[in-house]
Amino acid sequence: FADSNTAQIKLTVQPYKYNRISFVVGVDSIRNVSGAQTGALDPAKGMFWTWTTGYIMAKLEGTSPSAAGGKFEYHIGGFSGVDNVIRKPVLLFPFGELIDLRPEKSTEIVVTANANAWFYNPHDVKLAENPICTTPGPLAKQISENYSKMFTVISVINE
């Protein structure tokens, strides 16, 4: 959300009746090992570690009196093996709605993200114990399992 231009995404989909949306949080392994990328994946954007550890899949930084030194920093990454933090949330539409998407219609799906989810469900992550996570490993994987549940579809407008 540091770049407001990325808060809205326009997609073209095949005509069909849909009841959910899914997306990937992270960068697939092919792009992680394919050399310098451009656009949103440009290393200058601050979401790249190294060619061996790859991209930061999600980043959350802030201040809290619970964190040692008053600051916390989560740069979650890891794209292979047991350290893979790439997640694909599947979000159902509200009330089990089945939305008929057709070329002559315009549809707006509003998704909200609860950043508090980084700290619970299924894993309790306490700032006092773990104020920093900036390398692939078990803690990064736990946090990714948490934040993959932070998204909710709050409305679908199909006109």
Side-chain angles (χ1 to χ4, degrees), residues 9-155:
I9 302 167
K10 293 187 179 196
L11 305 171
T12 302
V13 298
Q14 294 297 315
Y16 194 74
K17 292 184 179 181
Y18 295 88
N19 68 351
R20 67 192 70 196
I21 185 172
S22 68
F23 50 89
V24 173
V25 178
V27 179
D28 64 55
S29 60
I30 296 296
R31 290 201 184 264
N32 267 285
V33 298
S34 295
Q37 304 290 311
T38 58
L41 297 179
D42 187 328
K45 301 239 182 212
M47 295 296 285
F48 190 75
W49 280 327
T50 68
W51 298 116
T52 56
T53 52
Y55 281 90
I56 298 169
M57 308 298 173
K59 185 187 283 190
L60 182 66
E61 299 173 340
T63 60
S64 170
S66 299
K71 295 182 179 181
F72 64 90
E73 179 179 46
Y74 296 124
H75 296 185
I76 307 305
F79 62 90
S80 64
V82 297
D83 293 333
N84 189 339
V85 297
I86 299 169
R87 298 288 173 251
K88 186 176 181 181
V90 176
L91 311 178
L92 297 176
F93 293 160
F95 312 111
E97 287 184 73
L98 195 60
I99 307 300
D100 187 12
L101 301 182
R102 290 184 261 159
E104 67 275 6
K105 288 189 169 189
S106 176
T107 304
E108 180 178 302
I109 301 170
V110 179
V111 177
T112 188
N114 177 358
N116 196 38
W118 282 59
F119 305 101
Y120 68 91
N121 188 16
H123 308 283
D124 285 333
V125 177
K126 297 185 181 354
L127 289 172
E129 296 169 12
N130 295 296
I132 297 173
C133 181
T134 56
T135 58
L139 181 58
K141 189 169 181 181
Q142 287 181 347
I143 292 170
S144 74
E145 290 168 359
N146 285 358
Y147 69 58
S148 70
K149 294 175 174 55
M150 72 189 280
F151 303 99
T152 306
V153 174
I154 58 172
S155 68

